[in-house]
Amino acid sequence: MVMTALNDLWHGFGVAFEPHNLMWCFIGVLFGNFVGVLPGLGPMAAISVLLPLTFSMKPVAAILMLSGIYYGAQYGGAICSILLNLPVHPPHAVTCLDGYPMTLKGRGGAALGITMIASFIGASFGITEMIFFAPVLVGFAFKFGPSDICSLMLLGLLAGSTLARSSPLKGIAMTVLGLLFGIAGTDINTAEQRFTFGILHMADGIEIVALALGIFGIAEFLKCVNYIKPIAPKNMHVSMRDMLPSREELKTAFPAMWRGTLVGSLCALIPGTGPTIASFVAYALEKKITRTPERFGHGAVEGVASPEASTHSSVQGDFIPTMSLGIPGDAVMALILGALIIQGITPGPQLVREHPDLFWGLIASFWIGNILLIILNVPLIGIWVKLLTIPYRYLYPSAIFFICIGVYSTTNDLFGVGETLVIGLFGYVLLMLGFHPAPMLLGFVLGPRFEENFRRAMLISDGDLRVFIERPISATFLAIAVTLLGAQLYLWIKNRRLKLIS
Amino acid sequence: MSLNKDKIAGLLLVILGIGAYLEGRSHSLGTLTQMGSGYFPVALGVVLVLIGLLLFVTSSPDGQDKPAVPPAATDLNDPPHLSLDHCPPTDWRGVSCIIGSVISFIWVGHLFGLIPATWICVFMAAMGDRTSTYREAAILSLLMCALAVGLFHTVLHVQFPLIQFPFWKA
């Protein structure tokens, strides 16, 4: 079992080291690191902008690059939190709490150094988890029938929408809306046109690129324009030598990194709990178990090391359900899954067997990518810090152009650009009303497959809904989903009561 | 009863749900065993209406849910300018410039080709920021035009005429 995994991994390294793939992996992590550093641009916008580029690429290279953007952005995101106290990248928001005080004390460089070590440890553990855990999950997933898949998707959708930020109700609403967006176009079973409003272009459905760029690109710019102020270059002189933490700092940071890593890898296994939640849990845990909680918030090293390790281990672990079951845990994974579907690869448990190049090549590229990121970040930290000062007024106009041309290039048609604008405006309205549109993408990607599997399950069971609770696997998933909803409801009511009292 | 954010959100969901329901009804519903193409949209529409009603009824008294992410430690001299969970009031100049920039990309691109479209798109978007100057915006848009030709046209072969004069052909 262990030997086969290592053997496959060896093969994966062969794939990842092919010059072509290595180049795209490098471009991915470089670009990811770049957008991770910049406030106001996130990995989701970056992946959606580069998504059209991948249509003409080979599947392996495409997925290596897109994944590289995702984990590369995590390396850059911490810089902004630690040096500037800007929680613009959700998974690193919690790092502000102790990272920025360290900067004020003049230990900002050391905080970054610790972050890098923590990132690498966390990521390594997450990748190892994927190597050994994903094949087990795949073996298990082959027993799934349509009803089981349906329940699993339902669980994934509910977890993805309720565990995210904002109220669970709004999250579920976004997912349902995403499902509706997903089934727009020609129905595969009856060839009827749904939600096309008589527009010929809509027969193919909504382009995933248009949706992603609309809600993560246009809508975000509409929200942020004139609200992101230029960054004053203070506390911002970090050189490679500054990044070396002292011996005492390392001594306190190391155990924290391992705890964070464990928290992150556990969070990765629960669908829907992405890196953001992992980092908050890790920080809360550190604060709980320390003997000196008063140090937290004033530059405690553990408060930087643990959440960062946890974020990275959860980012890598996020790929486990996506690649082995075909169920994405969050919007970024949904985008990567969308890229797979565009490449003509059906996501699901058969992926590991049918496309071993892709699966093991991806895992191997994680190692390579993470090492590349360390090389990129440690000696070049000064450059990344300088990039922080690129004003937003240069960034977003360029990004809008990239969005326009990117959407255009997917269909060679200006209709898609208009579609993106409309979705972007709609997304902005949703943002204003306090929704977080990210789960929409989850619903969008799973929509057609959910309908298809539901239809199949109903056909097999002759329209008997009890099939979902009669099959043990499906029943288990549903039970977890119900528990999750119940817990959410309980917390929500509790919070509301507290709010009403105060 | 005032119309706060959550109530509007709930109403919007109800409207969207009814829309989905009506659209779904225009297709064949079928039975649970043989689901027609209208079955799934109708079901989702009903769910959306229910969620919308629930949101409308339970909307929190202060009109807005507290952010789940606690605000980071604030430095008084340098307050964080944009929080993650709060959408600031609409900046009309920025918003209209961005919308205009995308529309002009479509329109100018359709008539005159990629280079003019790129230029006007970037220029207009850049002018949405209150701190940019005409000079800066013009230079930025020229740079983007160079990128459009160099990267997208030459390297990536995006099928988009670089420049054309539709009215001269006649």
Side-chain angles (χ1 to χ4, degrees):
Chain A
M1 170 66 212
V2 173
M3 275 321 287
T4 38
L6 289 180
N7 215 1
D8 289 333
L9 187 65
W10 183 247
H11 169 70
F13 269 106
V15 175
F17 268 119
E18 278 168 33
H20 183 72
N21 293 337
L22 196 62
M23 178 187 81
W24 284 112
C25 174
F26 178 72
I27 292 178
V29 294
L30 185 72
F31 191 66
N33 204 338
F34 176 68
V35 296
V37 170
L38 296 171
L41 278 181
M44 278 188 287
I47 293 175
S48 355
V49 167
L50 289 197
L51 194 56
L53 261 185
T54 64
F55 293 175
S56 54
M57 286 160 59
K58 290 206 181 81
V60 178
I63 300 304
L64 295 197
M65 184 187 77
L66 294 175
S67 316
I69 297 174
Y70 181 39
Y71 60 82
Q74 308 306 325
Y75 275 80
I79 300 178
C80 206
S81 301
I82 291 174
L83 294 184
L84 296 165
N85 197 26
L86 290 181
V88 280
H89 301 290
H92 305 282
V94 78
T95 312
C96 287
L97 296 178
D98 277 292
Y100 188 61
M102 278 184 80
T103 303
L104 291 179
K105 281 197 248 167
R107 299 299 296 162
L112 286 176
I114 286 169
T115 304
M116 292 303 150
I117 302 170
S119 309
F120 193 74
I121 291 179
S124 305
F125 193 86
I127 303 166
T128 316
E129 192 187 9
M130 184 167 175
I131 294 172
F132 294 108
F133 198 71
V136 178
L137 213 56
V138 167
F140 181 59
F142 271 116
K143 299 194 183 78
F144 290 3
S147 52
D148 305 327
I149 296 174
C150 245
S151 304
L152 179 62
M153 282 187 189
L154 196 68
L155 172 63
L157 287 171
L158 278 176
S161 54
T162 58
L163 293 175
R165 307 195 301 254
S166 100
S167 83
L169 212 51
K170 285 182 171 175
I172 296 174
M174 284 298 98
T175 311
V176 175
L177 215 54
L179 288 168
L180 277 170
F181 274 57
I183 59 166
T186 311
D187 179 23
I188 37 170
N189 276 52
T190 58
E192 275 180 61
Q193 312 246 316
R194 295 185 289 187
F195 297 99
T196 57
F197 310 108
I199 303 168
L200 191 64
H201 290 284
M202 289 283 292
D204 290 339
I206 295 171
E207 289 287 332
I208 184 171
V209 180
L211 180 74
L213 284 174
I215 58 180
F216 302 130
I218 304 277
E220 282 295 318
F221 298 139
L222 289 173
K223 171 185 154 190
C224 296
V225 65
N226 282 324
Y227 283 99
I228 291 190
K229 300 201 171 57
I231 285 154
K234 59 165 192 180
N235 313 325
M236 298 217 340
H237 302 286
V238 181
S239 68
M240 196 173 142
R241 197 171 305 140
D242 298 332
M243 286 180 76
L244 199 70
S246 70
R247 192 167 290 225
E248 293 87 79
E249 280 169 337
L250 274 181
K251 223 180 199 171
T252 37
F254 259 117
M257 285 176 199
W258 284 109
R259 287 190 291 267
T261 302
L262 280 177
V263 168
S265 56
L266 283 177
C267 280
L269 295 182
I270 306 167
T273 50
T276 310
I277 291 174
S279 68
F280 277 97
V281 173
Y283 188 82
L285 179 77
E286 283 306 313
K287 220 172 157 177
K288 190 141 268 173
I289 61 168
T290 182
R291 278 195 216 104
T292 49
E294 66 278 358
R295 286 188 307 119
F296 279 79
H298 300 283
V301 180
E302 303 99 299
V304 175
S306 174
E308 283 298 319
S310 151
T311 304
H312 285 258
S313 106
S314 141
V315 160
Q316 302 295 2
D318 250 7
F319 283 89
I320 297 174
T322 314
M323 299 309 284
S324 57
L325 303 177
I327 311 290
D330 56 25
V332 179
M333 287 300 119
L335 266 178
I336 287 176
L337 209 64
L340 273 177
I341 295 170
I342 290 168
Q343 293 282 355
I345 294 172
T346 322
Q350 75 287 350
L351 184 135
V352 182
R353 194 175 296 170
E354 284 172 11
H355 303 277
D357 283 13
L358 182 82
F359 185 79
W360 294 103
L362 181 68
I363 293 183
S365 86
F366 287 165
W367 289 110
I368 299 169
N370 273 291
I371 291 167
L372 282 176
L373 281 162
I374 292 283
I375 298 172
L376 275 174
N377 275 286
V378 176
L380 298 181
I381 188 75
I383 297 175
W384 295 115
V385 172
K386 276 218 180 64
L387 279 177
L388 268 175
T389 50
I390 295 181
Y392 194 60
R393 65 175 187 274
Y394 298 156
L395 279 179
Y396 81 86
S398 323
I400 287 176
F401 162 65
F402 283 117
I403 289 173
C404 290
I405 188 98
V407 177
Y408 176 86
S409 69
T410 57
T411 51
N412 282 336
D413 193 338
L414 283 165
F415 177 80
V417 186
E419 196 180 311
T420 313
L421 180 65
V422 172
I423 293 171
L425 286 172
F426 181 60
Y428 181 56
V429 172
L430 292 176
L431 279 174
M432 278 202 297
L433 291 174
F435 289 101
H436 286 284
M440 234 159 98
L441 213 66
L442 219 57
F444 179 81
V445 170
L446 287 182
R449 281 167 62 212
F450 187 73
E451 185 185 15
E452 178 60 26
N453 277 296
F454 189 77
R455 198 178 264 168
R456 217 178 282 165
M458 285 298 97
L459 202 61
I460 295 170
S461 75
D462 201 17
D464 190 352
L465 280 172
R466 275 177 305 183
V467 70
F468 289 110
I469 44 172
E470 274 165 1
R471 286 187 59 108
I473 301 174
S474 161
T476 316
F477 289 138
L478 281 185
I480 301 173
V482 169
T483 320
L484 190 81
L485 267 187
Q488 287 281 329
L489 203 66
Y490 171 75
L491 285 176
W492 184 60
I493 291 171
K494 208 172 118 187
N495 275 340
R496 244 173 86 81
R497 196 169 293 157
L498 281 177
K499 213 187 286 177
L500 282 176
I501 291 166
S502 66
Chain B
M1 188 177 71
S2 66
L3 218 55
N4 63 32
K5 234 184 217 181
D6 277 1
K7 288 212 175 2
I8 302 174
L11 281 180
L12 179 73
L13 292 180
V14 170
I15 294 168
L16 288 172
I18 291 173
Y21 176 83
L22 291 178
E23 161 72 22
R25 284 308 295 262
S26 68
H27 302 287
S28 64
L29 271 184
T31 59
L32 206 47
T33 315
Q34 285 286 340
M35 280 167 57
S37 52
Y39 202 98
F40 200 55
V42 165
L44 289 180
V46 172
V47 172
L48 214 50
V49 170
L50 289 179
I51 295 175
L53 288 177
L54 208 60
L55 197 62
F56 188 85
V57 175
T58 61
S59 64
S60 47
D62 53 348
Q64 215 180 328
D65 285 301
K66 281 201 185 116
V69 180
T74 41
D75 177 8
L76 285 178
N77 303 319
D78 183 24
H81 33 59
L82 194 71
S83 85
L84 288 168
D85 286 270
H86 176 68
C87 190
T90 306
D91 180 271
W92 285 109
R93 172 168 167 179
V95 167
S96 39
C97 278
I98 289 175
I99 296 170
S101 109
V102 179
I103 291 176
S104 52
F105 182 86
I106 299 171
W107 189 66
V108 175
H110 178 67
L111 288 178
F112 301 102
L114 179 61
I115 296 174
T118 305
W119 196 87
I120 190 90
C121 163
V122 179
F123 183 79
M124 243 177 139
M127 286 321 290
D129 192 289
R130 286 167 203 278
T131 52
S132 32
T133 58
Y134 288 109
R135 218 179 99 92
E136 264 183 6
I139 293 172
L140 182 68
S141 22
L142 277 180
L143 280 175
M144 284 299 135
C145 286
L147 202 67
V149 177
L151 180 65
F152 290 100
H153 186 80
T154 316
V155 181
L156 298 172
H157 303 291
V158 174
Q159 298 297 312
F160 203 138
L162 280 182
I163 197 156
Q164 61 185 8
F165 301 99
F167 306 119
W168 284 12
K169 277 175 198 160

